[in-house]
Amino acid sequence: MRQSLLWRAGSTQLANQTIGWLWEAGRPGFLNSLGSTASLTLFNLLWVYLPPGPAWTHEEWHRAVLTHRGISSYDGVYHWDIGTNAIAVDHVTDLDLATLKSEHPADFTRLMEAGLESEVEANRLMRRNNFFLGRRSGYDLIDWWSTGVNGSLYIAFCATDALDGDLLAMNQKETRESQRDFTGFDFRAWVHDMRHPEEAYADGPRGGTHPTGNGVDRYLLFSDLTGGERRYLKLQAGLSLLNFISPQFFGRDWLPGRAPWTGEAFLWNFGLLHHLTPFGYEVGGDFLLRHGKWSWVFTAQGFVNGEMVLPGAAAELFRYPVRLGTFGIFLNGGLSAWMQPVDQNYHAADPSPGIAGSIGAAIPLISSLELFGEADAKSGGWMAGNVSLDPAVQARAGLQLRL
């Protein structure tokens, strides 16, 4: 998840900034602005269907959950069907899905929301990069708005019968099990399986045989959802609009402030947050702060299942400069703590505490090229961008280009 997220954010911002700079090299004026906007729009429309763009990352986060439990799959972006209305994760067997639901029901539910999780986290990461590195968000707004609106509409359409015809057509076309998407419309499966963690995969609304007579009829229609499930999806579609509430979505990257106790100036910004989770949803907000060498993100969280609202909080230090003689490095670190429902269960009435920490460093090499390394560890619980719901330790290293 982390690797594909870094590829998604970095490549998108590199491309957007390059297009913007090329137009800015010309004579300022209406035609120049129109050409820049048209070029960025055209690029971002095409970028949806290419790796490592939004759809690729969306599917890779689905696949990460499958891979974490030893299940192979294929990213449908590599079918190169530019302009298609639906991109699948295919080559997943009914047996693997049934086993995942039986043995790891929370992972099965997380599987369904992981794609949207990637879209929200990509926007958050790019907004942080812009705020802390002094980049203007104007280059990235088309990507943020198109990705965000698509995600909100996707949830909303899952609560209607408007797209059922597409599922029926897919079932007629997909004669082989390997051709089928792992789930159909993500959030119908998410809301149903979250509320029915003990239900066997091929029971309930998936109890029928595929129209071809081969395998399970995986795709849930509007009529397969209860009234409560439909209302819950409509609620989530509305709450997803929280992700647009940030001055950065309107081109305001830095807001001026002054500390009341010292009078020192600082820069700040904020953004609200909504995520689907294995047990329900998260709402919260980020507060971004720049003051001298210090760059901080403070996050407040509320985790909601069918029985409780539970708290969480996080703090992250971004690129703190340290001198080691004549040698300079940048340090990152973070700490978060939360209470979440036991077993990531929608119906749980008892909370379970969790904690996570991270540390990293970036070492400048030449120009804007840096060597970086980072590691993180967490207890059990859901954490956006971390594939494991169990305790886990991760580390990664590589090269990065600072824009």
Side-chain angles (χ1 to χ4, degrees):
M1 284 185 168
R2 179 66 176 171
Q3 183 181 26
S4 58
L5 178 67
L6 294 174
W7 272 103
R8 155 80 166 107
S11 59
T12 299
Q13 293 195 290
L14 175 61
N16 286 338
Q17 184 164 302
T18 301
I19 293 170
W21 281 356
L22 289 173
W23 280 99
E24 287 177 3
R27 179 177 299 176
F30 172 76
L31 291 179
N32 187 282
S33 297
L34 180 63
S36 176
T37 302
S39 298
L40 286 167
T41 301
L42 180 62
F43 166 74
N44 282 283
L45 286 174
L46 181 62
W47 188 231
V48 169
Y49 301 99
L50 301 176
W56 178 84
T57 313
H58 180 110
E59 309 307 346
E60 287 301 307
W61 279 40
H62 286 311
R63 295 186 64 241
V65 178
L66 294 169
T67 302
H68 180 63
R69 294 302 182 184
I71 299 172
S72 63
S73 60
Y74 187 81
D75 189 330
V77 166
Y78 294 114
H79 294 312
W80 306 109
D81 191 3
I82 306 298
T84 182
N85 290 328
I87 297 175
V89 170
D90 50 36
H91 287 73
V92 183
T93 67
D94 291 335
L95 177 59
D96 280 336
L97 291 169
T99 302
L100 181 63
K101 176 71 188 289
S102 173
E103 297 181 357
H104 306 285
D107 285 279
F108 188 81
T109 304
R110 204 284 178 82
L111 168 66
M112 307 306 170
E113 55 83 357
L116 182 63
E117 186 180 320
S118 79
E119 298 173 15
V120 176
E121 287 302 295
N123 282 356
R124 288 178 77 197
L125 177 57
M126 286 189 274
R127 296 206 316 272
R128 292 182 184 191
N129 287 341
N130 290 355
F131 179 81
F132 292 124
L133 298 178
R135 294 183 74 255
R136 289 181 295 162
S137 288
Y139 300 128
D140 303 318
L141 290 180
I142 293 172
D143 175 80
W144 296 353
W145 277 97
S146 60
T147 303
V149 169
N150 180 73
S152 294
L153 289 177
Y154 191 5
I155 301 174
F157 276 123
C158 284
T160 75
D161 62 357
L163 303 178
D164 279 1
D166 293 339
L167 292 181
L168 296 174
M170 289 164 61
N171 264 344
Q172 293 299 320
K173 180 181 178 181
E174 297 164 350
T175 58
R176 299 192 309 275
E177 187 178 278
S178 63
Q179 295 176 299
R180 297 166 197 159
D181 182 52
F182 75 101
T183 195
F185 292 147
D186 296 355
F187 310 119
R188 288 180 181 174
W190 169 78
V191 72
H192 176 79
D193 290 294
M194 179 179 66
R195 292 186 165 210
H196 301 86
E198 303 301 325
E199 179 183 87
Y201 176 72
D203 289 346
R206 294 194 192 91
T209 302
H210 191 271
T212 63
N214 172 25
V216 175
D217 190 2
R218 300 178 181 181
Y219 305 157
L220 299 183
L221 300 175
F222 175 73
S223 59
D224 293 323
L225 300 181
T226 66
E229 290 166 350
R230 296 170 190 172
R231 289 190 294 273
Y232 198 81
L233 284 178
K234 291 177 181 178
L235 171 64
Q236 300 312 309
L239 289 173
S240 71
L241 300 179
L242 292 173
N243 291 315
F244 296 99
I245 301 178
S246 169
Q248 289 182 281
F249 267 91
F250 301 91
R252 295 291 306 277
D253 284 297
W254 307 282
L255 303 176
R258 193 168 294 277
W261 52 93
T262 65
E264 292 182 292
F266 61 88
L267 297 175
W268 65 282
N269 216 314
F270 72 93
L272 300 188
L273 173 66
H274 169 261
H275 267 304
L276 305 182
T277 70
F279 52 79
Y281 61 95
E282 173 200 8
V283 290
D286 296 323
F287 179 79
L288 289 71
L289 175 67
R290 282 176 59 183
H291 179 240
K293 298 189 297 183
W294 297 93
S295 298
W296 289 98
V297 181
F298 300 101
T299 304
Q301 301 161 294
F303 300 104
V304 186
N305 76 342
E307 304 293 334
M308 303 175 290
V309 180
L310 299 170
E316 181 180 349
L317 177 65
F318 186 88
R319 292 181 65 85
Y320 182 80
V322 174
R323 301 296 302 181
L324 301 176
T326 60
F327 191 67
I329 64 174
F330 297 93
L331 299 179
N332 301 311
L335 184 66
S336 56
W338 60 80
M339 301 290 286
Q340 294 179 3
V342 167
D343 297 327
Q344 301 288 294
N345 193 304
Y346 174 80
H347 303 288
D350 296 316
S352 177
I355 191 170
S358 64
I359 189 170
I363 304 172
L365 298 177
I366 54 173
S367 185
S368 297
L369 186 66
E370 298 176 342
L371 175 67
F372 82 94
E374 57 185 19
D376 56 76
K378 62 180 285 292
S379 63
W382 173 85
M383 188 174 182
N386 191 310
V387 70
S388 179
L389 300 179
D390 302 318
V393 178
Q394 301 180 124
R396 63 199 65 83
L399 297 174
Q400 65 185 18
L401 183 66
R402 180 174 54 83
L403 300 179

